[in-house]
């Protein structure tokens, strides 16, 4: 007596993700221009030609004092990006290319303290560094004076602002490291560098659109 075997069911085809076509990208670009670029352009035009009887602001902007302020502000933004990258890059490397990548609780433990709203962090720093504040009470007057002396410098201000940017750049760098080849030599070859060159691997990590966007956002945050 022969038994008939039931054929195995055919695998259900998975629906393919639809990519946004040219029209969708064009629509998003138009919305971005209308919502962001147009107001900025209007502000710049009014600053140049004047508005409602007010004279042009180009003379005031070209003043030496204002140019010095603008230059210092841009320098502060660059320092914020550099310090935040120095803070985020080692952790991103450890959480991507070492056995620590399986311990995702480290992400939570490290990122949560830096995810406070900026105004709350500002109040906390003010209370910590003020005269007879928490630094003086917990660490002593000498240490409190030293903390204030460091944080009242441009590098200290950039370090405080870099704490707000730390989680953002950490996630960008970690995702970039995850997308890179596991072999450092292979990554160096892809970038056109010498096999075994650590600088070439670093070039691959930074030579990415997401990382560049993060750096631009960091400079913007420092400027604002």
């Amino acid at each position: 007596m022969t038994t008939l075997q039931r054929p195995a069911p055919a695998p259900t085809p998975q629906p393919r993700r639809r990519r946004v076509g040219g029209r969708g990208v064009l629509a998003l670009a138009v919305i971005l221009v209308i919502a962001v670029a147009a107001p900025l352009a209007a502000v710049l035009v009014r600053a140049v030609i004047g508005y409602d009887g007010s004279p042009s602001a180009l003379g005031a902007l070209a003043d030496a004092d204002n140019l010095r302020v603008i230059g210092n502000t841009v320098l502060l933004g660059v320092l914020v990006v550099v310090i935040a990258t120095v803070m985020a890059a080692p952790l991103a490397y450890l959480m991507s290319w070492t056995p620590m990548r399986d311990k995702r609780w480290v992400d939570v433990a490290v990122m949560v303290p830096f995810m406070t709203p900026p105004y709350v962090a500002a109040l906390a720093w003010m209370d910590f560094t003020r005269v007879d504040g928490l630094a003086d009470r917990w660490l002593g007057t000498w240490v409190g004076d030293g903390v204030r002396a460091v944080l009242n410098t441009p590098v200290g201000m950039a370090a405080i602002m870099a704490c707000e940017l730390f989680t953002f750049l950490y996630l960008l760098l970690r995702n970039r490291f995850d997308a890179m080849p596991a072999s450092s030599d292979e990554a160096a070859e892809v970038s056109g560098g010498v096999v075994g060159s650590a600088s070439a691997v670093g070039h691959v990590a930074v030579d990415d659109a997401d990382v560049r966007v993060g750096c631009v956002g960091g400079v913007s945050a420092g400027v604002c």
Side-chain angles (χ1 to χ4, degrees), residues 5 67 115 153:
Q5 293 184 354
L67 291 177
M115 295 178 67
T153 62

Side-chain angles (χ1 to χ4, degrees), residues 3-25:
T3 58
L4 299 177
Q5 293 184 354
R6 189 175 182 180
T12 304
Q14 297 292 333
R16 298 181 62 184
R17 293 183 179 179
R18 296 181 58 186
R19 294 187 176 181
V20 180
R23 294 182 179 179
V25 174

Side-chain angles (χ1 to χ4, degrees), residues 10-102:
T12 304
Q14 297 292 333
R16 298 181 62 184
R17 293 183 179 179
R18 296 181 58 186
R19 294 187 176 181
V20 180
R23 294 182 179 179
V25 174
L26 180 60
L28 292 176
V30 171
I31 294 174
L32 184 64
V33 169
I34 295 176
V36 179
L40 292 177
V43 172
L44 292 176
V45 169
R46 290 182 177 180
V48 172
I49 65 176
Y51 175 71
D52 197 16
S54 300
S56 173
L58 286 180
L61 291 176
D63 185 71
D65 293 336
N66 286 333
L67 291 177
R68 189 181 304 109
V69 171
I70 294 173
N72 292 338
T73 304
V74 174
L75 176 61
L76 180 62
V78 173
L79 287 176
V80 170
V81 172
V82 172
I83 295 176
T85 304
V86 171
M87 294 170 57
L91 182 62
Y93 174 82
L94 292 175
M95 295 300 296
S96 180
W97 283 8
T98 67
M100 286 184 61
R101 66 179 303 161
D102 298 329

Side-chain angles (χ1 to χ4, degrees), residues 7-193:
T12 304
Q14 297 292 333
R16 298 181 62 184
R17 293 183 179 179
R18 296 181 58 186
R19 294 187 176 181
V20 180
R23 294 182 179 179
V25 174
L26 180 60
L28 292 176
V30 171
I31 294 174
L32 184 64
V33 169
I34 295 176
V36 179
L40 292 177
V43 172
L44 292 176
V45 169
R46 290 182 177 180
V48 172
I49 65 176
Y51 175 71
D52 197 16
S54 300
S56 173
L58 286 180
L61 291 176
D63 185 71
D65 293 336
N66 286 333
L67 291 177
R68 189 181 304 109
V69 171
I70 294 173
N72 292 338
T73 304
V74 174
L75 176 61
L76 180 62
V78 173
L79 287 176
V80 170
V81 172
V82 172
I83 295 176
T85 304
V86 171
M87 294 170 57
L91 182 62
Y93 174 82
L94 292 175
M95 295 300 296
S96 180
W97 283 8
T98 67
M100 286 184 61
R101 66 179 303 161
D102 298 329
K103 300 177 176 59
R104 289 303 180 186
W105 60 267
V106 177
D107 286 348
V108 179
V110 172
M111 292 172 61
V112 167
F114 294 95
M115 295 178 67
T116 55
Y119 63 91
V120 176
L123 293 175
W125 280 109
M126 290 173 59
D127 191 43
F128 181 77
T129 58
R130 65 182 175 86
V131 178
D132 197 23
L134 296 179
D136 290 343
R137 297 178 184 179
W138 292 352
L139 306 176
T141 305
W142 288 3
V143 178
D145 293 339
V147 170
R148 280 187 292 274
V150 172
L151 295 182
N152 288 335
T153 62
V155 176
M157 295 172 59
I160 292 176
M161 299 173 69
C163 293
E164 298 298 323
L165 192 64
F166 165 76
T167 54
F168 179 55
L169 282 182
Y170 162 67
L171 292 176
L172 288 180
L173 291 172
R174 191 195 67 186
N175 293 337
R176 181 55 182 164
F177 278 130
D178 288 341
M180 288 173 59
S183 170
S184 301
D185 294 339
E186 184 179 354
E189 285 185 311
V190 171
S191 69

